[in-house]
Amino acid sequence: MPSKDFMLDDLAVTVYKRRSSRNLRLSITPTGKVRVSIPAWAPYSAGLKFAQSRQTWIREQQSPVQPLLDGQAIGKAHHLYFAAKSGLAKPAGRVYDTSVVVSYPSSSEPGDPQVQRAARQACIRALRVQAKQLLPQRLADLASTHQFDYTSVSIKQLKSRWGSCDHESNIVLNLYLMQLPWELIDYVLMHELTHTKILRHGKGFWQAMVEVLPNTPSLKKRLRTYQPIINGFGQSTDPVA
């Protein structure tokens, strides 16, 4: 995907050209980077100008990454726990049936960067396990109920999207979906299933969504308050495609 980097005052902005884009879309990555997607035919300057017009909003969204806490829920099936251990050289995380345990040297603290890094890596593994167990079956159930067909489904760790569907009806779902309430998970799954019939966003697409989910507008708005990271509530991003 062609892209170009810009500096907007002290903001780093990357403008991407996408053949599937029909509108300008702005998102903030988990690390605070600014991304603008524009149609392939549009000039890069259009993306930069769009980011410039949203500077106030961008700065409001660029909040620091929140630390992971002892006892925190991870997805639908796990809780995170920290354990200090003497003689341990470096932090290490393990995923069990219902818990994620991060052991760290007794000279460290749970909030230390290395400990937090090990915790995030272990939590991502837990979310992947949950996503592979739950999402394909839920997608199949919704497809059967609403008479959709798709070719395949895979689970990936995506940076800024909750899911995607290509022209061959191959669906990709973000493992971070497990951090969302179930009604928003279903919204994303139905969004991708609708793309198997209508690939591009437009009036027809959203009408089809409302036919299967009458509260689509409110769900779409709620989804924008989440971001695909471990602590992803209260931050906005480019939701689904």
Side-chain angles (χ1 to χ4, degrees):
M1 171 165 52
S3 65
K4 193 171 182 179
D5 296 324
F6 298 91
M7 288 301 299
L8 187 59
D9 295 331
D10 60 335
L11 294 175
V13 178
T14 302
V15 180
Y16 294 87
K17 289 193 173 188
R18 298 179 58 200
R19 286 181 296 176
S20 59
S21 292
R22 300 179 66 185
N23 301 296
L24 302 180
R25 305 184 71 175
L26 186 149
S27 63
I28 311 295
T29 72
T31 58
K33 294 181 180 179
V34 181
R35 297 163 54 101
V36 181
S37 296
I38 64 175
W41 50 262
Y44 285 109
S45 58
L48 181 62
K49 186 176 180 180
F50 182 59
Q52 188 173 21
S53 70
R54 302 298 302 278
Q55 279 194 75
T56 301
W57 179 86
I58 290 170
R59 295 185 189 281
E60 289 174 351
Q61 306 307 315
Q62 288 182 316
S63 56
V65 176
Q66 297 298 312
L68 299 176
L69 304 176
D70 191 71
Q72 179 174 337
I74 304 300
K76 307 302 180 192
H78 293 82
H79 282 78
L80 172 65
Y81 300 102
F82 292 93
K85 288 190 177 181
S86 59
L88 199 63
K90 62 180 181 179
R94 295 193 65 180
V95 177
Y96 298 93
D97 288 343
T98 60
S99 64
V100 177
V101 179
V102 178
S103 302
Y104 62 92
S106 54
S107 59
S108 301
E109 298 289 341
D112 289 351
Q114 284 190 330
V115 180
Q116 286 287 309
R117 188 178 304 112
R120 292 183 188 282
Q121 291 172 348
C123 288
I124 289 169
R125 295 199 300 273
L127 292 176
R128 191 183 302 277
V129 169
Q130 294 180 36
K132 287 184 175 181
Q133 290 177 342
L134 299 174
L135 294 182
Q137 184 57 56
R138 183 57 179 164
L139 184 71
D141 291 344
L142 289 173
S144 176
T145 299
H146 298 285
Q147 299 182 333
F148 286 96
D149 292 312
Y150 57 94
T151 303
S152 68
V153 57
S154 58
I155 306 298
K156 295 184 180 181
Q157 181 186 356
L158 305 177
K159 292 183 178 180
S160 62
R161 294 188 180 188
W162 295 108
S164 66
C165 178
D166 65 19
H167 67 284
E168 295 181 345
S169 296
N170 297 301
I171 292 175
V172 176
L173 300 174
N174 195 336
L175 59 85
Y176 286 118
L177 281 169
M178 303 314 303
Q179 294 285 87
L180 297 179
W182 273 111
E183 61 268 24
L184 292 183
I185 294 175
D186 283 353
Y187 165 79
V188 174
L189 300 189
M190 288 307 308
H191 187 114
E192 303 312 334
L193 287 172
T194 302
H195 273 313
T196 64
K197 294 183 178 180
I198 307 173
L199 192 59
R200 295 182 182 275
H201 294 136
K203 185 177 180 179
F205 174 87
W206 293 111
Q207 286 178 340
M209 279 289 294
V210 170
E211 288 178 5
V212 292
L213 283 179
N215 58 339
T216 284
S218 62
L219 292 172
K220 181 181 179 182
K221 184 177 180 180
R222 281 183 60 197
L223 187 61
R224 292 186 180 278
T225 65
Y226 290 83
Q227 187 171 203
I229 54 177
I230 301 295
N231 288 333
F233 180 73
Q235 301 180 58
S236 300
T237 189
D238 184 8
V240 286

